[in-house]
């Protein structure tokens, strides 16, 4: 009889915070930039340089803690985690081990069966990021870029409460939305501002003891995470079934080969010789400061969903798509505030915007057009000043260049022709030019009128009022 197994998963999620400067110095945290240009003696670990804590890092970390139901540790401190690695300039990382800023929280996820499940958060701690090694195969050397060194991170350590790739993705999606709504990070996996390490073990269904876990690194997309979980689960089950042991180790996932390989063994877990960071004083978060952070919490997605259905009377499906991005939700609300037409705004975002985002391989955060311009376009289309074909054409231009639709329509002569006299003479000419279609229509072929409408629109360069064209055509036929 084949044995049944269950997967036990816990995550360590690193999130780069959206501060303008690094955690312990005034260098820029901007992504990109020529190598080693966002650096100074502090973030390159020069002897004698001293760290100074960035207050905004503490505020963001506490805000994420509050939003994930954690207890905020109002007296916390930093520790040194000692290890040698070429991209770690001081040979230690300033992190938090003994007194992290947040403990014992949870987020609630929706499960595949339609219920909800709480995923525990063991702790959230603040730390600095390391630099980045760049391997040059041509020269056969590795060079180091310290631009990322000292960028502020929070590490969110979950409890081993997840049992499938679906639960992991739901948890990550929930975390990402919470953090984006707070403005604490853009959470772009492709730029490394959100990274997840997966701790995974398998055990027989019904067992209470955990199996031996492995840790998988180098996961920079939800797709890679789902594939890595599936691959590692099957690898461990195969080992157990063939009587071998799972070794506690760190593995690196290769997304192109869809397989993982061992990086280093954790049989004798590395001793990082942690000790309190002597160059930084403990952090004391006063009740007043904590209250300030708490009262600045935004309206999160779950609250927006309820309000959108009630206040804007748009379908739940629309509300879910729009609130799935903070930027899209803000754009929606600002546009509706100007034009007061929620369903029409929702339609433009749901259909045309989503189509163009997909075509251009962009995220909602990359949308360039303003709420003012979208509202103007909604009003032009709604008033019949431009027809739907022209509106889509103007929207495409607005999507790429954020043009002012009113000016664009005026300058390019795109207003709908509602002049009955001009339309009538054009339609009379179309009827004269297409006797076969006229005969087909009189012989009961309703579709023939569609062709005549098309010919009229063509003659009017797409600017005719379609309802008027239909009405006059039927009358003349």
């Amino acid at each position: 009889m084949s044995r049944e197994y269950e997967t036990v998963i816990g995550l360590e999620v690193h999130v780069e915070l959206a501060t303008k400067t690094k955690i312990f110095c005034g260098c820029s945290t901007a992504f990109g930039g020529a190598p080693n240009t966002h650096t100074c003696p502090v973030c390159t670990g020069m002897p004698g340089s001293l760290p100074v804590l960035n207050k905004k890092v503490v505020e963001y970390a506490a805000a994420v803690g509050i939003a994930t139901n954690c207890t905020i540790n109002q007296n916390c401190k930093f520790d040194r985690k000692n290890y040698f690695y070429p991209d770690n300039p001081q040979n230690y990382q300033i992190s938090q081990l003994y007194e992290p800023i947040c403990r014992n929280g949870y987020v609630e996820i929706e499960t595949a069966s339609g219920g909800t499940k709480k995923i525990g958060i063991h702790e959230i701690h603040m730390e600095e990021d390391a630099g980045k090694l760049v391997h040059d195969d041509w020269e056969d050397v590795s060079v180091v870029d310290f631009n990322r060194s000292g960028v502020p991170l929070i590490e969110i350590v979950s409890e081993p409460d997840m049992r499938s790739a679906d639960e992991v993705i739901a948890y990550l999606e929930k975390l990402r939305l919470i953090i984006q709504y707070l403005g604490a990070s853009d959470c772009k996996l492709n730029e490394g501002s959100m990274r997840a390490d997966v701790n995974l073990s398998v055990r027989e269904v019904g067992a209470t003891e955990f199996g031996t876990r492995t840790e998988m690194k180098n996961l920079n997309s939800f797709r890679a995470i789902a594939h890595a979980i599936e691959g590692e689960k099957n690898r461990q089950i195969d080992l157990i079934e063939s009587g071998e042991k799972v070794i506690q180790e760190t593995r690196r996932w290769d997304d192109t080969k869809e397989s993982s390989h061992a990086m280093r063994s954790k049989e004798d877990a590395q001793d990082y010789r942690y000790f309190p960071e002597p160059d930084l004083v403990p952090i004391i978060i006063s009740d007043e400061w904590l209250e300030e952070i708490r009262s600045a919490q935004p309206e999160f997605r779950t609250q927006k969903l309820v309000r959108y259905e009630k206040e804007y009377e748009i379908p739940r499906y629309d509300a879910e798509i729009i609130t799935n991005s903070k930027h899209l939700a803000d754009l929606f609300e600002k546009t509706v505030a100007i034009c007061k037409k929620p369903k029409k705004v929702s339609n433009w975002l749901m259909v045309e915007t989503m189509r163009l985002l997909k075509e251009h391989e962009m995220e909602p955060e990359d949308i360039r057009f303003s709420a003012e311009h979208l509202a103007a376009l909604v009003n032009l289309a709604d008033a019949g000043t431009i027809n739907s074909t022209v509106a889509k054409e103007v929207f495409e231009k607005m999507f790429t260049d954020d043009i002012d639709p009113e000016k664009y329509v005026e300058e390019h002569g795109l207003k709908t022709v509602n002049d009955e006299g001009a339309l009538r003479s054009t339609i009379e000419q179309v009827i004269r030019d297409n006797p076969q279609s006229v005969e087909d229509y009189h012989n009961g072929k309703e579709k023939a009128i569609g062709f005549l409408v098309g010919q009229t629109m063509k003659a009017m360069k797409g600017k005719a009022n379609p309802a008027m064209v239909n009405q006059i055509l039927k009358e003349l036929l």
Side-chain angles (χ1 to χ4, degrees):
M1 198 176 93
S2 68
R3 292 181 288 182
E4 269 194 77
Y5 294 92
E6 76 167 351
T7 321
V8 177
I9 308 162
L11 294 189
E12 292 165 23
V13 178
H14 286 91
V15 176
E16 276 183 9
L17 298 176
T19 54
K20 298 274 188 287
T21 55
K22 293 184 180 181
I23 186 167
F24 300 123
C25 64
C27 292
S28 167
T29 56
F31 182 73
N36 298 305
T37 51
H38 302 166
T39 54
C40 72
V42 175
C43 58
T44 51
M46 297 296 169
S49 61
L50 289 171
V52 177
L53 177 59
N54 182 339
K55 184 182 176 184
K56 194 73 190 159
V57 174
V58 181
E59 286 179 0
Y60 277 150
V64 174
I66 292 165
T68 53
N69 309 294
C70 289
T71 302
I72 308 300
N73 185 357
Q74 290 179 247
N75 296 298
C76 62
K77 59 186 181 60
F78 283 100
D79 304 292
R80 272 191 194 180
K81 177 183 181 180
N82 296 275
Y83 66 97
F84 172 76
Y85 203 70
D87 63 6
N88 182 26
Q90 308 109 301
N91 292 338
Y92 61 82
Q93 177 193 31
I94 301 177
S95 180
Q96 292 187 302
L97 175 74
Y98 302 111
E99 294 289 344
I101 186 165
C102 314
R103 278 200 180 106
N104 306 329
Y106 67 87
V107 297
E108 207 161 49
I109 62 164
E110 268 130 47
T111 58
S113 60
T116 58
K117 178 176 176 177
K118 282 183 181 176
I119 306 296
I121 289 172
H122 179 72
E123 67 171 58
I124 300 176
H125 59 260
M126 300 176 284
E127 60 187 24
E128 58 180 343
D129 209 345
K132 186 179 175 188
L133 280 179
V134 182
H135 308 291
D136 185 335
D137 293 332
W138 184 256
E139 295 278 346
D140 196 25
V141 294
S142 291
V143 286
V144 66
D145 176 10
F146 287 121
N147 280 352
R148 201 174 67 185
S149 177
V151 165
L153 295 176
I154 52 173
E155 183 175 342
I156 305 165
V157 183
S158 84
E159 299 291 358
D161 289 345
M162 288 159 274
R163 296 291 175 267
S164 68
D166 286 347
E167 288 186 5
V168 167
I169 303 302
Y171 168 75
L172 285 169
E173 284 279 18
K174 192 74 184 260
L175 274 186
R176 183 165 75 162
L177 275 174
I178 287 170
I179 295 164
Q180 282 176 341
Y181 267 84
L182 283 165
S185 173
D186 59 18
C187 292
K188 287 184 178 173
L189 278 87
N190 58 335
E191 288 184 7
S193 58
M194 185 179 191
R195 316 194 277 276
D197 297 340
V198 176
N199 291 294
L200 183 149
S201 64
V202 296
R203 64 181 177 189
E204 274 193 66
V205 171
T208 49
E209 294 276 302
F210 287 142
T212 305
R213 68 182 168 89
T214 59
E215 181 180 18
M216 270 180 301
K217 291 187 175 288
N218 190 39
L219 302 166
N220 58 2
S221 73
F222 287 164
R223 189 181 137 275
I225 290 164
H227 286 196
I229 287 169
E230 214 46 45
E232 182 58 15
K233 175 185 87 173
N234 292 334
R235 188 188 73 86
Q236 290 192 18
I237 291 171
D238 289 347
L239 282 173
I240 295 164
E241 289 279 305
S242 58
E244 293 177 59
K245 273 189 168 175
V246 176
I247 298 165
Q248 187 178 342
E249 62 190 355
T250 301
R251 298 182 70 82
R252 187 178 179 85
W253 176 255
D254 187 327
D255 209 29
T256 45
K257 291 180 186 162
E258 295 239 330
S259 64
S260 67
H261 57 264
M263 281 167 71
R264 57 177 177 264
S265 162
K266 281 207 168 178
E267 204 63 273
D268 306 308
Q270 234 166 322
D271 178 12
Y272 291 113
R273 292 182 297 112
Y274 277 97
F275 61 82
E277 169 54 63
D279 292 335
L280 288 162
V281 294
I283 304 155
I284 294 166
I285 303 171
S286 66
D287 292 347
E288 293 76 27
W289 189 17
L290 191 58
E291 196 39 55
E292 214 175 283
I293 299 168
R294 201 184 295 277
S295 58
Q297 293 263 305
E299 178 188 40
F300 287 106
R301 187 192 187 206
T302 38
Q303 298 145 317
K304 276 194 193 296
L305 280 173
V306 175
R307 183 167 67 82
Y308 278 23
E309 283 185 274
K310 207 153 81 185
E311 190 180 320
Y312 299 125
E313 295 177 345
I314 61 170
R316 175 80 179 191
Y317 179 74
D318 291 29
E320 279 177 351
I321 301 275
I322 292 166
T323 56
N324 205 25
S325 153
K326 167 85 162 66
H327 184 76
L328 213 54
D330 288 346
L331 182 63
F332 171 76
E333 289 181 29
K334 283 178 193 161
T335 310
V336 172
I338 300 165
C339 71
K340 311 281 187 289
K341 292 168 185 148
K343 185 63 185 122
K344 300 243 161 76
V345 175
S346 164
N347 289 348
W348 278 103
L349 293 176
M350 298 276 298
V351 183
E352 291 303 307
T353 305
M354 286 301 168
R355 177 178 69 79
L356 290 171
L357 284 174
K358 197 174 176 185
E359 259 176 44
H360 292 267
E361 292 181 351
M362 286 161 62
E363 293 292 320
E365 286 63 40
D366 306 323
I367 290 172
R368 297 187 196 99
F369 61 83
S370 65
E372 288 74 18
H373 289 166
L374 179 56
L377 182 71
V378 168
N379 286 333
L380 285 169
D382 200 37
T385 311
I386 53 176
N387 63 36
S388 60
T389 313
V390 171
K392 282 179 189 174
E393 181 193 316
V394 174
F395 181 75
E396 290 205 12
K397 189 75 183 147
M398 195 174 89
F399 184 88
T400 51
D401 303 332
D402 191 23
I403 47 110
D404 180 335
E406 287 171 341
K407 274 187 189 164
Y408 188 83
V409 165
E410 202 60 59
E411 284 164 9
H412 292 78
L414 296 172
K415 280 188 178 171
T416 302
V417 177
N418 288 312
D419 176 348
E420 195 178 330
L423 279 179
R424 193 173 280 271
S425 61
T426 305
I427 293 168
E428 283 167 351
Q429 186 60 49
V430 167
I431 287 174
R432 281 196 293 274
D433 293 347
N434 297 281
Q436 185 59 53
S437 293
V438 173
E439 195 183 322
D440 288 348
Y441 178 72
H442 287 139
N443 290 334
K445 287 187 182 170
E446 280 288 324
K447 279 185 179 173
I449 201 164
F451 175 76
L452 295 170
V453 170
Q455 291 303 302
T456 308
M457 293 305 275
K458 197 173 171 185
M460 299 295 295
K461 295 191 171 66
K463 291 183 286 184
N465 179 330
M468 213 178 237
V469 170
N470 263 296
Q471 188 192 329
I472 296 169
L473 252 174
K474 281 181 179 167
E475 184 193 315
L476 292 173
L477 287 169

